[in-house]
Amino acid sequence: MALAKFYKLSKEVQSAQRRGWPVVALESTVITHGLPQPENLKLAQEMEDIVRAGGAAPATIGVLKGQLLVGMEEEELQELAQDKAPRKLSSRDLAAAVAQEASGGTTVAATLRVAAQAGIQVFATGGIGGVHRNAARDVSADLSELARRQLVVVCAGAKAILDLPGTLEELETLGVPVIGYQTDEFPAFYSRESGLRNSGRVESAEEMATLAQTHWTLGGGGLLLAAPLPGDAALAHEQIDGWIEVALKDAQVEGVRGQAVTPYVLKRVSELSGDKSLKANLALLKNNAGIAAEVATHLSPKTGQLGLLPKQA
Ligand code: PSU
Ligand code: MN
């Protein structure tokens, strides 16, 4: 089966790739499952605009009626954001969604896979998935997919609802560098501190681009660029920890399992925090989009398996 027939690239992404201009991938589970309407559509559009202002083309990735979208036209973004029952698509779910002509938001894992095939090298998200607390062997496919795909993923650490030391151990096992953006400490999504250390540190987006290029030349896969959220939006650890405990307990009592865990717990934390966590979430997403664009402008373009880039002059 020809690869290209499953994909649809937005006009903006096509034109950027033809010219060898930088592109930044954005995930869509945050749109379909992470944020309430209408904040979800607004945030998605704001992230795209921040990427553009940073000199790169945004490629919001998702699946609409079985088509893998790499970059969405405005109506497509709207349709996905307003879908009544979108699927949450991790890597394992992509083929089924395409074959069954379903729609859904792609997680970090699935977005990484699609972005890599399209030759995109930088990706902005909120917080990656990872090793869950108290749940035997619930480990997000975000981690294994990160290990395999040659992309820089800009995030505010891993979601604070997770087992953060366990997540960092797993990333080490998988050979994924965890690089702090102007910090030694691994950020904890809603808060700037976790008490845990990154494996490395850079002071600028340009330095990160050089590090990534070197990692790839040496045979490495994905890298995390962990950027703490802006100080005025950050929540104190002691404050958020209590809400997370309650939310995790509620999930257990309700018997929430598998793919439903992350969206359930994040939504519950948002309710308990009176939207303080939602505000932090929006702030860190936008912050990461800006940094991702800057990293992308410092990387030289490459051709994906879709073969859309003309040969470099
Ligand atoms: N942000 C949210 N809610 C989510 C996610 C992000 O506010 O559900 C998604 C991300 O796309 C992340 C995924 O990749 O959750 C991880 O889910 P799991 O632990 O099931 O792999
Ligand atoms: Mn899981």
Side-chain angles (χ1 to χ4, degrees):
M1 279 190 264
L3 186 62
K5 79 169 197 191
F6 298 124
Y7 286 86
K8 183 172 163 290
L9 276 72
S10 68
K11 292 190 203 84
E12 194 175 8
V13 169
Q14 282 188 47
S15 115
Q17 291 207 325
R18 227 173 270 130
R19 294 174 165 85
W21 288 351
V23 177
V24 170
L26 301 168
E27 60 142 317
S28 52
T29 296
V30 66
I31 304 171
T32 54
H33 292 74
L35 299 171
Q37 291 181 18
E39 278 92 350
N40 63 344
L41 177 60
K42 190 163 167 269
L43 181 274
Q45 289 166 335
E46 283 174 350
M47 282 183 85
E48 291 193 345
D49 285 340
I50 291 168
V51 168
R52 288 184 189 109
T60 302
I61 289 175
V63 182
L64 210 55
K65 298 190 201 87
Q67 206 156 40
L68 291 166
L69 302 181
V70 181
M72 296 190 197
E73 308 302 339
E74 209 173 313
E75 325 76 71
E76 294 169 334
L77 192 59
Q78 247 168 43
E79 195 177 336
L80 190 67
Q82 287 158 3
D83 195 297
K84 293 273 183 321
R87 293 188 188 182
K88 174 177 165 181
L89 306 172
S90 189
S91 338
R92 64 158 188 196
D93 309 305
L94 277 175
V98 170
Q100 296 167 354
E101 298 181 6
S103 300
T106 46
T107 65
V108 168
T111 305
L112 273 167
R113 205 202 272 187
V114 174
Q117 277 190 316
I120 298 172
Q121 303 175 94
V122 185
F123 167 17
T125 181
I128 59 160
V131 179
H132 284 263
R133 296 185 205 174
N134 309 325
R137 292 170 188 276
D138 183 354
V139 179
S140 175
D142 290 1
L143 301 186
S144 42
E145 208 65 55
L146 244 171
R148 279 199 282 264
R149 312 295 164 192
Q150 294 187 323
L151 274 98
V152 173
V153 177
V154 184
C155 62
K159 297 203 179 70
I161 60 169
L162 299 166
D163 168 0
L164 295 182
T167 300
L168 284 175
E169 287 296 340
E170 190 68 26
L171 286 164
E172 181 185 353
T173 303
L174 292 166
V176 177
V178 178
I179 308 299
Y181 183 74
Q182 299 168 351
T183 179
D184 292 321
E185 190 163 351
F186 187 59
F189 198 54
Y190 307 117
S191 30
R192 295 172 63 86
E193 316 81 27
S194 66
L196 302 163
R197 283 180 75 84
N198 296 312
S199 72
R201 164 183 181 139
V202 293
E203 302 307 325
S204 68
E206 185 173 10
E207 197 187 343
M208 186 62 199
T210 305
L211 202 163
Q213 212 99 59
T214 309
H215 184 62
W216 297 331
T217 305
L218 298 178
L223 306 91
L224 278 189
L225 180 57
L229 77 169
D232 52 350
L235 301 179
H237 237 308
E238 312 78 61
Q239 195 177 28
I240 196 82
D241 283 353
W243 295 323
I244 292 173
E245 289 292 328
V246 175
L248 288 170
K249 208 156 271 150
D250 288 353
Q252 213 170 18
V253 172
E254 300 266 328
V256 182
R257 297 249 192 290
Q259 282 197 308
V261 173
T262 301
Y264 177 94
V265 178
L266 287 175
K267 182 156 173 268
R268 196 71 192 100
V269 169
S270 178
E271 288 164 5
L272 291 163
S273 73
D275 282 357
K276 281 207 187 78
S277 68
L278 176 63
K279 289 212 179 82
N281 201 344
L282 296 173
L284 65 88
L285 282 159
K286 290 188 250 182
N287 188 50
N288 295 343
I291 296 170
E294 207 185 333
V295 174
T297 60
H298 289 289
L299 286 166
S300 35
K302 89 176 202 212
T303 313
Q305 270 174 270
L306 296 174
L308 289 149
L309 270 178
K311 291 244 164 4
Q312 289 299 295

